[in-house]
Amino acid sequence: MSTVLYIKANPKSNEDSFTFKMSEAFIKTYQEKNPGDQIVTLDLYKEGIKFLDAEMLGQMYSGQETVMKKYAQQFAAADKYVIAAPMWNLGSPAILKAYFDYVVLAGVTFKYTEQGPVGLLAPGKKAVHIVARGGKYSEGPAAQFEMGDRYVKTILGFMGVENISTISTELTGVLQGEVLEQSVNASIAAAKEKAKEF
Ligand SMILES: Cc1cc2nc3c(=O)[nH]c(=O)nc-3n(C[C@H](O)[C@H](O)[C@H](O)COP(=O)(O)O)c2cc1C
C-alpha cells in the first residue's frame, strides 16, 4: 500500500480552478486504479501555512516538536506526491514555497555532508506537478521565464525525489469558449491517463 500526499496550493474551489479540475480527475482515476492506497489531502490554505518567522526559525533546530518537523515527517513518510499549483507570476503561489520552507528540514528530508547537501528521502518515490497557466511556457520564447515547474522539480530532487513529471494546461487566459473547453478537456484526459500508471 502506498501513501499519496496530495498537496493543493490554490485558494480557489475545485470547480473554479483549471489546476484542480486536472488534479481531481488525476486523484479520482488513481484511487479507482489503486483502491488500497491512502490519499492524504493537504490543502495548504486550509492548513494555514505561514511564512517562517523569527520564532519558528529559533525553534527549527531546537529538538522541539515543531510544526515544520510535523510537515517534514509527513512528507518523508509519503511514497508519492501530487502537487497541484497554478502558475502565478512565472512561479507557483507563495504558499507552496512557504510549505517547502517547512518541509526541507535538515535531519528529516536532507542532510549536510562534507560533499554538500544530500536528500534523505528513500529511493523510488515519484511525483507529479499539475499546473494551469494563463499563457504558454512549456515551449517557445516564454519557456525560459517558467520558474514554477523548475522550482518544484529542483526542490523535490534536492530531497531525493527523482521521478517527477508534469501535467499542464496552458493558454487559459488566452483561449475562450469552446476552444478553451476542448483544450482543458484534453489536459484532463491526459491527467487521467497518467494517473493509471502513476
Ligand atoms: C496572481 C496571479 C498571477 C498570475 N501570473 C501568471 C503568469 O505569470 N503567467 C501566466 O501565464 N498566467 C498567470 N496567471 C494566470 C493563471 O496562471 C491562470 O489563470 C491559470 O488558469 C490559473 O490556474 P487555476 O485556474 O487553477 O486557478 C496568474 C494568475 C493569478 C491569479
Side-chain angles (χ1 to χ4, degrees):
M1 192 200 86
S2 294
T3 299
V4 180
L5 197 55
Y6 174 28
I7 298 159
K8 301 177 72 177
N10 194 344
K12 289 185 187 173
S13 69
N14 289 342
E15 295 72 33
D16 289 337
S17 158
F18 294 117
T19 304
F20 288 162
K21 281 181 184 167
M22 292 185 288
S23 63
E24 288 294 310
F26 182 98
I27 289 289
K28 189 165 177 281
T29 304
Y30 181 88
Q31 188 80 91
E32 281 164 11
K33 196 102 204 299
N34 305 278
D37 283 7
Q38 191 195 11
I39 313 272
V40 178
T41 302
L42 212 52
D43 181 324
L44 301 184
Y45 284 89
K46 290 191 184 139
E47 294 290 318
I49 300 293
K50 299 187 187 70
F51 296 131
L52 293 182
D53 59 20
E55 192 185 351
M56 293 162 96
L57 286 179
Q59 292 168 348
M60 210 164 201
Y61 295 115
S62 64
Q64 286 172 254
E65 292 307 313
T66 60
V67 68
M68 292 81 81
K69 195 169 168 190
K70 182 186 90 166
Y71 283 107
Q73 286 176 333
Q74 179 190 47
F75 195 87
D79 303 295
K80 300 178 183 183
Y81 309 93
V82 177
I83 300 174
M87 174 180 261
W88 278 10
N89 299 313
L90 307 179
S92 305
I95 201 163
L96 184 64
K97 173 67 167 58
Y99 170 72
F100 280 124
D101 286 342
Y102 286 15
V103 161
V104 183
L105 190 62
V108 182
T109 49
F110 80 100
K111 67 176 176 182
Y112 293 106
T113 73
E114 281 179 15
Q115 286 75 42
V118 173
L120 280 179
L121 298 192
K125 301 196 189 226
K126 50 162 75 171
V128 62
H129 176 216
I130 300 178
V131 52
R133 303 183 183 112
K136 189 164 183 68
Y137 295 81
S138 58
E139 55 183 33
Q144 61 181 315
F145 303 120
E146 196 291 317
M147 285 176 274
D149 194 51
R150 211 181 305 178
Y151 173 72
V152 166
K153 286 185 167 144
T154 305
I155 203 70
L156 290 177
F158 181 84
M159 293 185 280
V161 184
E162 280 155 12
N163 184 344
I164 313 162
S165 52
T166 307
I167 303 167
S168 64
T169 197
E170 297 195 298
L171 296 169
T172 64
V174 177
L175 305 177
Q176 288 181 343
E178 241 176 68
V179 184
L180 175 61
E181 202 177 314
Q182 278 168 9
S183 169
V184 172
N185 283 342
S187 302
I188 292 171
K192 288 180 183 167
E193 275 312 300
K194 281 241 180 187
K196 289 180 189 163
E197 66 213 39
F198 186 63

